């Protein structure tokens, strides 16, 4: 009985996603959820589609304490560049500082740019007086450089890097809504690299990037520890570049109620680990497919 109820909710939720407001669901790359009365939860993820063109913009905290992270940033972006080449040769990589002060922009770099260009780019930016990355990106999209850093029609990847908390006055949820609106015609993704709760960085507690992590959570991921070796993790955590083979659930499920569907068809090719509260997919991943998970909460 429980399974049949969930099947109804999954089909209902899938049809809602496809028809609501005429939205093009292929442009959504984040994890969403629908909460139905009586503690029934439906979470879904829409797998990204291989981009034909991609613009990467790194929003970098350039305050003095960040200078020892610039080399790793350059190395990480070079690894990311190699991964992007497997998808498309039409891409750009650009940088802005997190306060839009002084020389706030560097780029765009593309497939013809030398590795040393990416290594030196963060050093060419002026030092930040404030770490207001969300505000800076919001303002940058209307600046002249955005015409070639954020091209119309190109998918977008935004990378936020800071060793301090994000300090703009924009609520995280509002900023995420703006990102969706700004990128309504293209796929987009974010990666955040900051001080995590379990970081080995010797910083004060108020330097933890809670706002960066909150933004990451909207996209079904967590922030990356800036004090770890994150050069490889930068590329691995991009939703646009990698199809996702698992989903961390937001609530604790009644395990026997879990139901997984792919494009409206129920499947048993998955497993759940309570230790991580995660559903792992054993089926073939397909670009643009909608994976829906329904369950009752404890």
């Amino acid at each position: 009985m429980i399974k049949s109820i969930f099947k109804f909710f999954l089909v209902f939720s899938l049809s809602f996603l496809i028809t609501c407001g005429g939205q093009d669901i292929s442009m959504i790359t984040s994890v969403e959820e629908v909460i139905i009365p009586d503690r029934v939860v439906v979470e879904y993820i829409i797998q990204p589609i291989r981009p034909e063109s991609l613009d990467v913009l790194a929003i970098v905290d350039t305050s003095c304490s960040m200078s020892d992270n610039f080399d790793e940033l350059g190395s990480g972006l070079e690894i990311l560049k190699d991964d992007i080449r497997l998808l498309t040769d039409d891409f750009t990589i650009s940088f802005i500082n997190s306060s839009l002060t002084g020389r706030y922009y560097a780029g765009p770099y593309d497939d013809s740019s030398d590795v040393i260009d990416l290594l030196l780019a963060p050093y060419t930016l002026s030092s930040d007086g404030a770490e207001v990355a969300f505000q800076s990106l919001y303002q940058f999209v209307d600046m002249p450089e955005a015409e070639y850093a954020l091209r119309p029609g190109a998918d977008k990847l935004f990378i936020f890097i800071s060793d301090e908390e994000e300090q703009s006055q924009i609520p995280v949820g509002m900023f995420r809504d703006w990102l969706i609106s700004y990128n309504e015609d293209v796929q987009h993704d974010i990666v955040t690299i900051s001080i995590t709760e379990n970081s080995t960085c010797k910083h004060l507690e108020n330097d933890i990037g809670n706002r960066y992590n909150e933004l990451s959570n909207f996209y079904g991921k967590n922030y990356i520890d800036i004090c770890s070796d994150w050069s490889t993790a930068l590329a691995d955590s991009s939703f646009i570049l990698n199809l996702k083979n698992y989903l961390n659930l937001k609530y604790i499920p009644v395990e026997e109620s879990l139901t997984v569907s792919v494009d409206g068809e129920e499947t048993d090719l998955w497993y759940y680990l309570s230790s991580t509260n995660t559903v792992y997919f054993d089926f073939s991943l397909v670009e643009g497919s909608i994976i829906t998970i329904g369950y009752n909460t404890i």
Side-chain angles (χ1 to χ4, degrees), residues 40 70 95:
V40 175
F70 288 168
F95 302 78

Side-chain angles (χ1 to χ4, degrees), residues 191-202:
V191 175
T192 62
I193 301 169
S194 187
I195 298 178
T196 65
E197 288 188 356
N198 299 318
S199 175
T200 58
C201 290
K202 304 301 182 183

Side-chain angles (χ1 to χ4, degrees), residues 43 47 65 67 79 84 94 109 122 131 172 176 202 219 224 239 279 283 285 296:
E43 297 187 44
Q47 297 286 16
S65 60
S67 59
I79 295 172
I84 293 172
S94 299
Y109 304 100
E131 290 76 27
V172 179
R176 185 258 188 165
K202 304 301 182 183
Y219 288 81
I224 300 170
F239 216 2
V279 174
F283 47 82
L285 303 176
N296 202 347

